[in-house]
Amino acid sequence: MATKTPAAKNARGLSLHIGLNSVNPSHYGGWSGPLSACEFDAKDMAALASGRGIKPTVLLTKDGTRAKTMSALRSAAKTLVKGDFFFLSYSGHGGQVPDVSGEEADKLDETWCLYDGQLIDDELYQELSNFATGVRILVLSDSCHSGTVVRASPPAVGAVAAAPELRSKMMPPSVGMRTYEAHKAFYDKLQMDVAKAQAGVMVDPDEALAAVAVSTRLTKIAKRFKARAILISGCHDNQSSYDGAHNGAFTGRLLTVWNRGNFDGNYATFHAHIKAGMPAIQTPNLFTMGPVASFLQQKPFTV
């Protein structure tokens, strides 16, 4: 059962829900990345948020741009203070760009495929690090390469054959490279700007995200992260997240476990229940940033 940790007095809750059923082919080398359920995922997460007293912002497909996403993240970071809650969800394709800032061992930076361009993992980490001390952040990422929203691998061997009715949320590597080559200066500058902003003390997101067992034992906490963040992702780094007819596989399972708010457990058990009901080809992961021990013991989506 969840620890009965009271919400902070007068705490506020804001959320941002991004769902893209396609991307702009003019940026992605002619590829539109059609998916079916990502907008449903975003709408369902927004409805869940509203039911928990959280004020949602929803960005669907053509509105899921880099500018609107950054604006919403920065507005929330400026508004929320210690004890407040921010809920971020993304449903769409995951991609990669070559790492030029030198912190990724696999020489690749992972991305969320927004409508008019990719959001690099470095950028997301930087935006989250701008939230005030004591703000609680929950990130639900229903995309490929979302195990840490960082390292990536191809789908598990035989995964697509084992589930032919499902569509992978991985941007094809050939599309990713074509997109990068067409916009190389743009993506290289994004990475270098983040590294420069961190003044040489950038914490590698791979290292900043700490694997959390159900026992809530924490490791490798980000040293400079002021807020408290929990990431529950759609899959491990060597797997794919899959689209569905009405929800993505991860989001659909999450909603089933949540059971319209009747779930009575904490974040660690929430993750465990979601994971238990997923097929072997897609295993949701749990990671944290910041001092989250007490946060992990709260009922999910508690303001």
Side-chain angles (χ1 to χ4, degrees):
M1 294 179 64
T3 300
K4 303 303 181 182
T5 304
K9 187 176 182 180
N10 299 320
R12 290 172 293 182
L14 298 177
S15 64
L16 171 62
H17 309 286
I18 308 164
L20 288 95
N21 282 347
S22 64
V23 295
N24 189 343
S26 67
H27 182 85
Y28 291 91
W31 179 75
S32 63
L35 293 168
S36 298
C38 298
E39 290 193 0
F40 290 142
D41 290 345
K43 291 176 181 178
D44 287 344
M45 291 296 97
L48 190 161
S50 293
R52 297 290 286 172
I54 301 164
K55 182 179 179 181
T57 296
V58 180
L59 299 177
L60 301 178
T61 306
K62 290 185 178 181
D63 284 330
T65 63
R66 283 182 48 84
K68 289 185 178 181
T69 298
M70 288 295 200
S71 177
L73 288 170
R74 291 169 182 173
S75 176
K78 289 179 181 178
T79 301
L80 300 177
V81 298
K82 183 177 180 179
D84 288 344
F85 182 76
F86 181 63
F87 172 23
L88 169 64
S89 72
Y90 172 77
S91 183
H93 281 291
Q96 296 175 312
V97 296
D99 168 41
V100 298
S101 57
E103 83 280 351
E104 296 281 4
D106 59 5
K107 306 304 180 185
L108 295 167
D109 272 311
E110 278 58 56
T111 68
W112 284 349
C113 296
L114 300 180
Y115 186 72
D116 60 347
Q118 298 172 79
L119 178 69
I120 300 175
D121 56 1
D122 295 351
E123 296 180 276
L124 178 60
Y125 176 80
Q126 183 183 40
E127 295 303 323
L128 296 180
S129 72
N130 290 332
F131 279 76
T133 300
V135 173
R136 292 163 295 135
I137 301 171
L138 171 64
V139 182
L140 300 179
S141 181
D142 195 342
S143 68
C144 283
H145 314 323
S146 64
T148 57
V149 193
V150 280
R151 267 190 295 267
S153 298
V157 175
V160 176
E165 75 282 3
L166 300 179
R167 182 180 303 200
S168 172
K169 291 184 174 182
M170 182 178 72
M171 178 169 66
S174 59
V175 173
M177 186 52 63
R178 187 161 61 243
T179 299
Y180 172 73
E181 292 297 340
H183 306 282
K184 183 177 186 299
F186 172 70
Y187 286 114
D188 288 356
K189 185 176 186 301
L190 289 178
Q191 295 179 63
M192 298 312 296
D193 284 350
V194 171
K196 184 177 180 180
Q198 294 295 329
V201 292
M202 176 66 179
V203 179
D204 173 11
D206 288 358
E207 296 300 321
L209 294 167
V212 181
V214 174
S215 65
T216 73
R217 184 174 62 85
L218 309 181
T219 58
K220 297 182 180 179
I221 296 299
K223 295 179 181 178
R224 298 183 69 250
F225 199 78
K226 298 177 294 184
R228 311 169 187 178
I230 294 172
L231 165 65
I232 302 179
S233 65
C235 64
H236 278 282
D237 294 325
N238 63 345
Q239 299 175 326
S240 287
S241 288
Y242 289 91
D243 192 27
H246 304 288
N247 284 118
F250 167 68
T251 300
R253 174 61 186 168
L254 182 151
L255 289 168
T256 297
V257 172
W258 179 241
N259 191 22
R260 301 179 184 271
N262 290 312
F263 174 78
D264 187 19
N266 59 33
Y267 281 104
T269 57
F270 189 51
H271 164 257
H273 280 77
I274 295 169
K275 180 179 177 180
M278 293 291 288
I281 60 171
Q282 184 177 339
T283 309
N285 221 340
L286 175 64
F287 293 85
T288 69
M289 291 187 287
V292 298
S294 62
F295 184 17
L296 278 165
Q297 295 303 316
Q298 294 176 1
K299 180 173 179 174
F301 313 110
T302 295
V303 175

